[in-house]
Amino acid sequence: MAASPAMAEITAQELWALWQEQAMQYGQPVTAEVTDTGGSLVLNNMTSEMVVEDMTVSTSFAQVTLTNQDDGTVSISAADSLVYRFEGPSPAGTSAVIATFTLSGLQATASGSTEMLSVDSQMSNFELADLAFENVPPGEIPEHEASLSLAGFQSSYTYDFTQPGFVGFNGSASIGPLAIAFEAQEPVGSGGTETDESATPTMPGGSTGNDGGGFTPVQPQQPTTPSKQAGDQGFAEFALNFGASESTFSGTMPLGVDWMNTETYPAGMAIEMDTSYDSASVRFAYEDRFENVDISASNTGGSIGFAISEQAMRYALGAEGVEVSVFTQDLPFPISAAADSTLVSVDIPLARSDTPSPFAAEVAYEGVTVDESIWAMVDPGGQVPRGPATIIMDVSGTVQIFVDLLTMSPEEMENMTSAPGELRDLTLNNLRVSFGGAELTGVGDVDFQPGQIIPVPVGSVDLSLTGANGLLQTLSNAGLVPPQQAGMARGMLGMFAVPGSGPDSYTSNIEFGADGSITANGVPLR
């Protein structure tokens, strides 16, 4: 036992002091009525607050308990109710929206030290219990129903406070399915009686005071259930369902940043996040006397990737089994489309450098189909093959960045007199476009010389095309392309491409010369 390393310990008092210190650093003070029982701290009416322009957003737990454990950790438990309050100016003075959530099975454990803190937490359910309005004329409160349910989560985070002026973090989270639903009907009129501000209801968990810095709400008005009545009143519906997800996070956050008012990217800040999820769907509908809109989208799983720092930014959004449907009164029929998979990704440098920096971008829509009603409108005879279409564009290269893009002030950006960067080289890794039995593919590499106002490429691109004549004939038979234009397209194809190894196939080598010339298989284009 004497030979084993000593375990880092943190106490409830140290954890509470650390919470307050970190909250103050970001302009979101945390207050509570504190009772020290010796082995634990009981935080009654624990409230945090932040200001976003003219709005004040506060959160309040009726009670949070921090208990010292024998193994040097701190157990964290909380009341089963959490209140969010959004307060801001209105014609009636100061009005507020109050959302109350219930929590089930919330448990957390803090371990380590005040320099290197780890927090493991879990919760079985998080649900919207009540949505109320304060100091809003009853005639302006929409009839509505709202629900939010999160089927639990587990998370594990580590915070590094050893770097002066910064907080490092990394962690992972498993989040259960999330469901949000909201429907509302516009109020009949804007009139109504004034709200009684004399009543003070009991806070969740039995706390009614304001001594610890929390708020004391007035009696809120309870909305009625929407009835979707006829007339000029608009009726809106919104629903979001997000399947179970797995996420990882890491980064560095500078201290003392006013996030709601900063105009520049904080120096030293870096965030990276990657998430995969099981499925997602969203629907929005609105109907009144003059408009009727219904839009929905869904997928069978996907991923989200995001990273940003002073040096670079990465963004990637992918999904499988995508379906989209759009209806408005301006369309003769609903429009729907689907795709086997979609991907949009960008990875670009943002910092000034004396040498070129790499970048990459990709757009990929595979297995794209549209509803037969659209085909019937443009090709009623069914001449064009209805097979799925694919569009893929994958490029990479290097770019010379002359300024620090992310940390520039708005004034510096406004006064820029030259381009912030220049292309140095570009590689076409993959080009593939397929539709109606035809397919175009390509690869290539080009370079760009420094100091060019309009970038002039030097290099070559190799293209391959199959099924082009067959598609032209099909489009001509369907009446979508006049015979004369189809003939011109065939003539240009024969002029700038050479026959390939198979039937109805062509290849072309596009050369970009240093003198600005462009040739296709030796035939000058410019």
Side-chain angles (χ1 to χ4, degrees):
M1 292 178 61
S4 64
M7 177 184 295
E9 294 185 358
I10 187 169
T11 66
Q13 291 77 8
E14 291 172 333
L15 180 61
W16 172 233
L18 184 60
W19 279 1
Q20 292 176 294
E21 177 189 350
Q22 292 300 310
M24 287 298 296
Q25 288 284 349
Y26 296 111
Q28 301 176 19
V30 177
T31 58
E33 306 163 24
V34 182
T35 301
D36 191 338
T37 65
S40 63
L41 287 184
V42 179
L43 312 175
N44 288 308
N45 197 22
M46 177 176 155
T47 302
S48 65
E49 185 177 284
M50 67 176 178
V51 178
V52 184
E53 296 184 350
D54 293 333
M55 178 178 290
T56 300
V57 182
S58 59
T59 62
S60 179
F61 274 105
Q63 188 176 88
V64 175
T65 303
L66 312 180
T67 304
N68 294 315
Q69 303 292 303
D70 293 338
D71 59 359
T73 64
V74 175
S75 173
I76 306 168
S77 61
D80 59 1
S81 182
L82 172 64
V83 178
Y84 279 82
R85 178 185 175 91
F86 306 86
E87 183 180 283
S90 72
T94 299
S95 301
V97 178
I98 306 164
T100 303
F101 297 87
T102 58
L103 303 83
S104 301
L106 177 60
Q107 297 178 342
T109 301
S111 59
S113 67
T114 55
E115 293 186 339
M116 192 72 67
L117 177 69
S118 294
V119 179
D120 298 319
S121 59
Q122 64 180 22
M123 180 176 60
S124 59
N125 191 55
F126 181 81
E127 190 169 352
L128 177 65
D130 182 63
L131 186 65
F133 297 79
E134 178 183 297
N135 196 32
V136 178
E140 296 181 6
I141 300 176
E143 300 176 1
H144 72 268
E145 284 187 341
S147 65
L148 182 152
S149 177
L150 175 64
F153 79 88
Q154 289 184 321
S155 66
S156 179
Y157 282 85
T158 297
Y159 301 91
D160 181 357
F161 301 106
T162 61
Q163 307 174 59
F166 292 91
V167 176
F169 66 92
N170 66 81
S172 61
S174 299
I175 304 175
L178 169 68
I180 300 174
F182 182 81
E183 61 180 48
Q185 184 161 339
E186 292 177 330
V188 176
S190 59
T193 59
E194 294 296 322
T195 304
D196 178 13
E197 300 186 6
S198 60
T200 303
T202 301
M203 292 289 293
S207 174
T208 59
N210 194 33
D211 297 337
F215 61 85
T216 304
V218 301
Q219 182 67 47
Q221 298 112 321
Q222 298 298 326
T224 56
T225 302
S227 56
K228 199 172 183 179
Q229 300 171 356
D232 295 342
Q233 296 169 259
F235 185 85
E237 296 177 82
F238 174 81
L240 171 68
N241 290 276
F242 197 78
S245 63
E246 300 283 340
S247 301
T248 58
F249 307 86
S250 63
T252 302
M253 301 287 283
L255 298 175
V257 176
D258 185 350
W259 295 104
M260 298 300 108
N261 297 299
T262 183
E263 294 183 345
T264 60
Y265 188 84
M269 175 177 163
I271 299 175
E272 184 168 2
M273 178 199 76
D274 288 284
T275 298
S276 61
Y277 59 91
D278 292 343
S279 63
S281 67
V282 63
R283 176 176 179 260
F284 171 76
Y286 179 81
E287 180 181 357
D288 64 11
R289 180 179 174 185
F290 308 102
E291 294 185 74
N292 191 355
V293 177
D294 196 326
I295 302 172
S296 63
S298 65
N299 64 45
T300 57
S303 61
I304 303 170
F306 178 76
I308 189 168
S309 69
E310 296 174 68
Q311 304 301 313
M313 181 181 72
R314 172 178 65 88
Y315 172 79
L317 184 65
E320 307 288 332
V322 178
E323 295 185 358
V324 178
S325 177
V326 178
F327 170 77
T328 74
Q329 77 277 9
D330 298 324
L331 297 173
F333 47 77
I335 293 177
S336 60
D340 292 339
S341 64
T342 64
L343 173 66
V344 177
S345 68
V346 176
D347 194 340
I348 57 174
L350 299 172
R352 179 188 179 279
S353 176
D354 296 330
T355 58
S357 302
F359 76 91
E362 182 177 4
V363 176
Y365 289 84
E366 300 189 65
V368 178
T369 58
V370 297
D371 188 79
E372 181 60 31
S373 58
I374 301 177
W375 278 115
M377 184 172 61
V378 299
D379 180 29
Q383 296 287 327
V384 181
R386 304 299 204 245
T390 291
I391 301 175
I392 299 175
M393 174 77 78
D394 181 4
V395 299
S396 60
T398 61
V399 61
Q400 183 83 47
I401 303 295
F402 302 136
V403 295
D404 293 317
L405 293 171
L406 211 56
T407 56
M408 292 180 66
S409 68
E411 292 77 15
E412 289 175 320
M413 296 190 70
E414 185 176 345
N415 295 326
M416 286 183 62
T417 57
S418 59
E422 293 178 352
L423 273 173
R424 289 291 177 261
D425 62 79
L426 180 67
T427 298
L428 177 60
N429 300 305
N430 184 21
L431 169 66
R432 182 158 69 93
V433 180
S434 64
F435 167 73
E439 182 176 66
L440 172 67
T441 61
V443 294
D445 288 282
V446 294
D447 298 322
F448 301 88
Q449 294 299 314
Q452 296 178 323
I453 298 177
I454 300 178
V456 177
V458 178
S460 65
V461 176
D462 293 311
L463 301 174
S464 176
L465 179 63
T466 60
N469 283 314
L471 178 59
L472 282 172
Q473 187 62 49
T474 297
L475 295 175
S476 180
N477 294 340
L480 299 175
V481 176
Q484 299 87 344
Q485 293 184 13
M488 291 177 58
R490 291 190 185 96
M492 295 180 63
L493 189 62
M495 183 181 300
F496 299 119
V498 297
S501 58
D504 197 6
S505 65
Y506 296 87
T507 63
S508 186
N509 175 254
I510 311 298
E511 292 278 351
F512 301 91
D515 58 354
S517 62
I518 303 176
T519 62
N521 303 309
V523 178
L525 301 180
R526 188 176 70 181

